[in-house]
Amino acid sequence: MNAPPRLKPHSSHWGVFEAGWQDGRLVVQPHPGDPDPNPILQNFPEAIRHRARIAQPMVRRGWLEKGPGKSDRRGRDEFVPMSWDKVLDLLAGELARVRDAHGPGAVFGGSYGWSSAGRFHHAQSQVHRFLNTSIGGYVKSVNSYSAGASAVILPHFLGPFEAVSRRNVTWEQIVEHTEICVAFGGMALKNSAVASGGVSAHVERGSMAAAAKRGCVFVNVSPVRDDLPEECHHEWLAPVPNTDTAMMLGMAHTLLTEGLHDVAFIDRYCSGWAEFEAYLTGRSDGVPKTAEWAATICGLPAETIAGLARRMAGKRSLIAMAHSLQRAEHGEQPVWMAGVLAAMLGQYGLPGGGFNYALGSIAHYGKRQNAVPTAALPQGKNGVGPFIPVARISDMLLNPGVEFDYDGKRMTYPDIRLVYWAGGNPFHHHQDLNRLRHAFAAVETLVVHEIAWTATARHADIVLPTTMTLEREDIGAAPTDPLMVAMHRVAEPFGEARDDYDIFADLAERLGKREAFTEGRDTRAWLRHLYAPTQKGLAEKGLPAPDFDAFWEEGYLTLPQQDDDGGIIRAFRDDPEGAALPTRTGRIQLFSEAIAGFGYADCPGHPAWLEPTDAPAEGRPLWLVANQPASRLHSQFDFGGHSSAMKRRGREVMRIHPTDAAVRGIGDGDIVRLFNARGACLATAAVSEDVRPGVVQLPTGAWYDPEDPEDDMALCVHGNPNILTRDVGTSSLAQGCTGQLTSVEVERFTGNLPPIRAFDPPVA
Ligand SMILES: Nc1nc2c(c(=O)[nH]1)N[C@H]1C(S)=C(S)[C@@H](COP(=O)(O)OP(=O)(O)OC[C@H]3O[C@@H](n4cnc5c(=O)[nH]c(N)nc54)[C@H](O)[C@@H]3O)O[C@H]1N2
Ligand SMILES: Nc1nc2c(c(=O)[nH]1)N[C@H]1C(S)=C(S)[C@@H](COP(=O)(O)OP(=O)(O)OC[C@H]3O[C@@H](n4cnc5c(=O)[nH]c(N)nc54)[C@H](O)[C@@H]3O)O[C@H]1N2
Ligand SMILES: [Mo]
């Protein structure tokens, strides 16, 4: 045994940590100041030198031999290793070809994905900057897979996404003031353990425990029991998935008919009550949205629905809503309806009360804002206008020139020849993977920068190996976390892997744009440059403002934070005229003339119950909840030690209620096959009363692993639920991702058990 290693500071989306080497093994220790560290950190040691890492640049044989073009060999072909010099020549030539022949508007560079936590090596920013400075731009994507529907609906009725999610009710307020917190979709600790950019102190568990101890009641409205932690002693109500809007309408109706709604608040702070009330009472459509009506839809007793409404009235009530509810068909509706229900309860803007969209979904929310700026890599100017809502990727690639609706506009899918991806994994994040494979077959060239052989890398024509975070220097920072981290390099690059930045700099050089891309800086010079605004901000506040070298040496810098001021919603409550909301009427819009004017059948002018078309039916009798995995972030380091340990028999675990398991002859630990019209995957069954009957739950993130890649409807042997989900938008309004829910059948798998090959490098 050698002496304990000297650990260096570093950061990740799942926590700040210190790392070093001991006896040839990477040691990772959480930041000493973190009260509740995230176990996902322990994916690093196994992952860093894993065989799934990409060791050298690779080019798909068919692309190399036949040149760019549509090809269904993507994901099936062999790869040819190539030197960096040659591959960069080849790629620069291809970028120039597409730019010259079709313009930068034929390049899709949306490149959605979380990549890793440092502010400089943020891969999405890097690829955008490169495409802007070197070829004049790219077709981009807007909004996120996280919050596709809410990003569009929230500004229509309440305010900007960030103001409603990030700068609203804090955990501090909840500990002190909230009397009843009803969390639709829960506030699962697995989810709030993660924040883009990093998190130094996981406070959610402790805050919920402290609030509960003071007497705050927590209610988890979710098909899954553990979406709230045991520490808050919550009540569990499990409605049928995608029926929360009906449940909330039933609650609203109870408030109205029993005179429990806050008439003064509605008069002073809201617009559109008449239109909404006409719908709620049934005057406009003949259907009163009573608790009894809601009960028949959401599968909870009417008395439970009405009782919950009564318990919230007249109290400091808080409605939280997880991202998940809007990542589903008609996902705009529960968000809007939660906002309306909270308006009827009248607690907006009071400490610990009202509506906080996405509280508990990610560690950014419920925190104070930093009072000094933190780094972001400037991306330059994009010369291309057309864009897509992010989850419309397959639609775009399969339907160039076809029109689609988005937020009141009629838009056209551009004609894409080349797709460039760095820092994301569409074979993780996108729905209906068999359709995605067809979409990727329709382009001429697919370029991927990756640290590991994800299915996305396997489908690429040109694969460039990049360093992972531990192999380079960076600055870690998030807008609601007070700790800035000097992310020191802990390991040498794997194989021939290079930083995304260095790859782009050399490509820019070949396109005659090196200076425009680099501005003459190497990585260290960029880190100094990006640190400068923080130092300046500190100095302006008269606070100690260490220079870069001192920050780097120290490893950490604690930033000042703003007051817990409740943001624009508190200001609006205090002064509804002077601090009007940035909506059309300046108020909370219970009805929107703008949205009504769009004339969308799938998103009317007020929140409404719209029956999902993708509900269980003949041949697909179960709801599938495809939620975030506890054991990793998305697909990242699925081959890591912690992620692997949480699987059973090498496969992702699917939870099923004992009743549903019994009728199918499924026992705990059995291998099962989930299937519907779009595809099928294997998983290992865990029989559990923690899911609602009629619901199975299989998290995302197990790497897509087709049993036979040549098969167009290949079975995924590993448990990636996106082989089953539907590739349709939330509605004509937002066109958001609907991957959270679909309907399936499940059976015990009795065939020969296929091996897991997802982590074996492809044939070279
Ligand atoms: N069915 C279903 N699907 C979903 C969801 C759901 O609820 N249900 N949730 C959706 C949500 S909310 C999201 S945000 C998306 C997430 O989807 P993604 O963000 O695409 O998922 P990640 O696995 O984080 O992908 C990041 C990739 O970047 C790579 N990477 C890491 N660091 C670097 C780097 O420095 N350089 C480069 N070049 N690459 C790097 C990682 O290896 C990884 O493959 O998934 C969505 N998909
Ligand atoms: N450990 C870990 N944490 C993560 C991530 C990760 O990959 N791993 N991803 C991060 C990212 S990018 C994001 S955007 C957030 C996502 O945050 P969310 O989208 O909120 O997270 P999910 O776990 O997908 O969903 C939360 C819960 O909603 C419940 N639910 C599903 N459908 C319904 C419904 O119709 N009604 C009700 N009432 N409940 C429903 C499910 O039981 C699920 O567990 O999580 C972040 N946190
Ligand atoms: Mo997300």
Side-chain angles (χ1 to χ4, degrees):
M1 234 6 206
N2 291 322
R6 198 175 91 74
L7 300 183
K8 296 178 183 172
H10 210 84
S11 188
S12 67
H13 297 309
W14 42 95
V16 178
F17 62 97
E18 298 183 347
W21 294 88
Q22 188 170 31
D23 303 321
R25 192 178 157 78
L26 184 77
V27 178
V28 172
Q29 282 178 8
H31 180 56
D34 191 339
D36 188 19
N38 187 342
I40 292 180
L41 283 173
Q42 297 310 331
N43 276 328
F44 276 123
E46 210 66 52
I48 188 162
R49 294 294 177 253
H50 196 278
R51 70 179 188 287
R53 292 288 307 271
I54 306 174
Q56 56 187 325
M58 293 278 197
V59 181
R60 185 171 68 79
R61 184 177 292 284
W63 191 91
L64 196 60
E65 288 170 358
K66 298 199 185 100
K70 295 182 195 291
S71 171
D72 63 6
R73 299 307 302 154
R74 292 195 178 93
R76 294 166 173 159
D77 239 347
E78 290 179 5
F79 283 92
V80 179
M82 199 175 272
S83 72
W84 274 110
D85 261 349
K86 262 184 90 176
V87 82
L88 292 179
D89 285 347
L90 197 65
L91 176 52
E94 172 61 3
L95 284 163
R97 177 191 75 85
V98 175
R99 177 199 58 197
D100 297 344
H102 310 286
V107 174
F108 181 68
S111 192
Y112 184 81
W114 269 55
S115 65
S116 44
R119 297 293 79 204
F120 174 62
H121 292 291
H122 184 244
Q124 229 189 100
S125 308
Q126 291 282 350
V127 67
H128 294 164
R129 181 179 170 83
F130 165 72
L131 293 171
N132 286 337
T133 54
S134 299
I135 64 163
Y138 60 94
V139 171
K140 67 174 182 179
S141 57
V142 298
N143 308 329
S144 61
Y145 276 79
S146 316
S150 53
V152 179
I153 192 79
L154 283 170
H156 276 288
F157 82 87
L158 188 54
F161 178 82
E162 294 297 336
V164 179
S165 59
R166 198 134 95 182
R167 191 168 176 188
N168 188 348
V169 176
T170 57
W171 291 110
E172 294 169 69
Q173 295 171 31
I174 293 170
V175 169
E176 219 182 314
H177 299 284
T178 310
E179 288 175 278
I180 178 164
C181 173
V182 178
F184 289 89
M187 299 188 285
L189 292 180
K190 71 177 169 66
N191 290 349
S192 56
V194 161
S196 146
V199 49
S200 64
H202 292 88
V203 302
E204 288 77 5
R205 187 193 306 268
S207 302
M208 284 191 246
K213 195 162 171 229
R214 179 185 48 76
C216 178
V217 172
F218 286 88
V219 182
N220 175 29
V221 183
S222 170
V224 174
R225 188 197 305 268
D226 41 35
D227 280 337
L228 273 181
E230 277 177 18
E231 284 85 346
C232 69
H233 312 298
H234 64 272
E235 300 168 23
W236 180 34
L237 300 180
V240 173
N242 208 351
T243 65
D244 302 76
T245 305
M247 177 180 170
M248 287 186 269
L249 282 164
M251 293 170 70
H253 194 273
T254 304
L255 294 176
L256 177 69
T257 51
E258 298 184 8
L260 297 171
H261 61 309
D262 190 334
V263 177
F265 183 88
I266 294 169
D267 281 352
R268 184 146 192 231
Y269 296 100
C270 301
S271 62
W273 172 249
E275 288 88 344
F276 176 72
E277 197 210 12
Y279 173 73
L280 186 62
T281 56
R283 270 203 315 282
S284 62
D285 68 347
V287 184
K289 312 302 175 304
T290 61
E292 289 73 22
W293 165 85
T296 61
I297 295 169
C298 69
L300 294 173
E303 200 37 49
T304 304
I305 298 168
L308 183 60
R310 290 182 198 120
R311 286 161 69 202
M312 295 179 81
K315 294 218 189 68
R316 185 59 52 83
S317 62
L318 174 63
I319 298 179
M321 170 164 295
H323 281 313
S324 56
L325 276 82
Q326 53 83 66
R327 201 176 304 112
E329 198 175 352
H330 308 129
E332 295 84 357
Q333 302 310 315
V335 181
W336 199 354
M337 189 54 218
V340 171
L341 182 60
M344 291 178 73
L345 290 163
Q347 301 290 301
Y348 273 99
L350 297 174
F355 171 47
N356 198 137
Y357 174 74
L359 182 73
S361 279
I362 298 192
H364 293 129
Y365 310 138
K367 309 281 175 68
R368 295 180 185 226
Q369 314 291 307
N370 291 337
V372 292
T374 52
L377 182 71
Q379 298 185 2
K381 198 176 157 329
N382 187 347
V384 174
F387 65 87
I388 55 162
V390 66
R392 301 279 42 86
I393 170 90
S394 293
D395 274 1
M396 171 184 69
L397 298 178
L398 291 167
N399 303 297
V402 171
E403 291 190 344
F404 66 100
D405 288 303
Y406 173 69
D407 199 15
K409 294 178 274 291
R410 194 87 185 136
M411 311 205 313
T412 305
Y413 287 123
D415 187 358
I416 298 299
R417 309 299 172 115
L418 184 148
V419 172
Y420 208 126
W421 227 290
N425 184 4
F427 273 87
H428 167 76
H429 64 235
H430 199 56
Q431 286 55 67
D432 196 347
L433 295 180
N434 286 325
R435 186 168 188 251
L436 180 68
R437 297 182 86 194
H438 288 293
F440 276 170
V443 302
E444 293 173 5
T445 299
L446 174 58
V447 187
V448 172
H449 291 201
E450 251 299 346
I451 61 177
W453 278 112
T454 61
T456 304
R458 283 165 203 271
H459 282 76
D461 301 310
I462 300 183
V463 182
L464 302 181
T466 61
T467 50
M468 68 178 265
T469 181
L470 288 164
E471 296 161 356
R472 61 201 183 207
E473 298 181 336
D474 214 323
I475 294 174
T480 54
D481 194 285
L483 201 66
M484 192 174 218
V485 184
M487 296 166 61
H488 284 247
R489 172 188 284 182
V490 176
E492 290 303 310
F494 181 81
E496 294 177 24
R498 303 184 65 200
D499 295 355
D500 292 295
Y501 178 69
D502 294 329
I503 299 170
F504 286 131
D506 284 355
L507 274 175
E509 162 121 38
R510 285 163 167 81
L511 293 161
K513 300 287 184 185
R514 186 180 193 99
E515 182 62 28
F517 177 72
T518 66
E519 295 177 23
R521 296 188 189 96
D522 63 7
T523 293
R524 252 307 166 90
W526 270 107
L527 297 187
R528 285 178 190 282
H529 180 72
L530 294 175
Y531 175 76
T534 306
Q535 188 187 3
K536 184 159 168 264
L538 290 168
E540 279 168 5
K541 289 197 146 38
L543 295 165
D547 66 14
F548 178 82
D549 293 318
F551 158 63
W552 196 256
E553 180 62 27
E554 186 60 32
Y556 300 103
L557 178 63
T558 301
L559 307 176
Q561 292 202 295
Q562 292 177 14
D563 291 342
D564 185 10
D565 63 2
I568 64 164
I569 292 174
R570 175 88 49 84
F572 171 62
R573 179 161 199 124
D574 293 345
D575 181 3
E577 278 77 40
L581 292 176
T583 59
R584 273 209 179 179
T585 60
R587 294 173 167 213
I588 301 169
Q589 294 199 202
L590 315 181
F591 168 80
S592 162
E593 234 170 84
I595 295 178
F598 299 157
Y600 298 146
D602 53 7
C603 189
H606 54 71
W609 163 245
L610 304 170
E611 213 169 310
T613 55
D614 187 21
E618 177 86 37
R620 45 181 169 91
L622 298 167
W623 280 102
L624 170 66
V625 170
N627 60 347
Q628 314 301 310
S631 58
R632 60 193 166 256
L633 173 69
H634 312 138
S635 68
Q636 297 199 31
F637 305 127
D638 186 31
F639 46 86
H642 183 63
S643 178
S644 305
M646 294 296 119
K647 290 182 185 164
R648 287 172 70 182
R649 303 177 69 184
R651 277 146 246 260
E652 198 56 50
V653 175
M654 178 207 75
R655 288 196 281 184
I656 183 168
H657 192 272
T659 323
D660 298 315
V663 296
R664 291 170 176 78
I666 294 170
D668 193 71
D670 281 352
I671 302 291
V672 289
R673 180 172 162 269
L674 294 82
F675 59 98
N676 61 21
R678 288 172 292 281
C681 71
L682 301 184
T684 304
V687 178
S688 164
E689 297 198 331
D690 291 342
V691 291
R692 187 188 201 282
V695 173
V696 294
Q697 179 249 332
L698 176 68
T700 60
W703 283 17
Y704 171 64
D705 193 351
E707 181 179 27
D708 174 10
E710 295 294 335
D711 180 356
D712 254 0
M713 286 287 283
L715 173 75
C716 170
V717 303
H718 193 194
N720 184 329
N722 274 326
I723 199 81
L724 302 159
T725 51
R726 274 204 324 167
D727 184 13
V728 293
T730 50
S731 81
S732 311
L733 186 85
Q735 298 285 8
C737 163
T738 57
Q740 177 82 193
L741 296 173
T742 192
S743 47
V744 297
E745 178 58 290
V746 178
E747 64 182 13
R748 203 158 72 86
F749 181 72
T750 49
N752 287 332
L753 209 50
I756 307 292
R757 291 175 304 191
F759 307 134
D760 299 338
V763 177

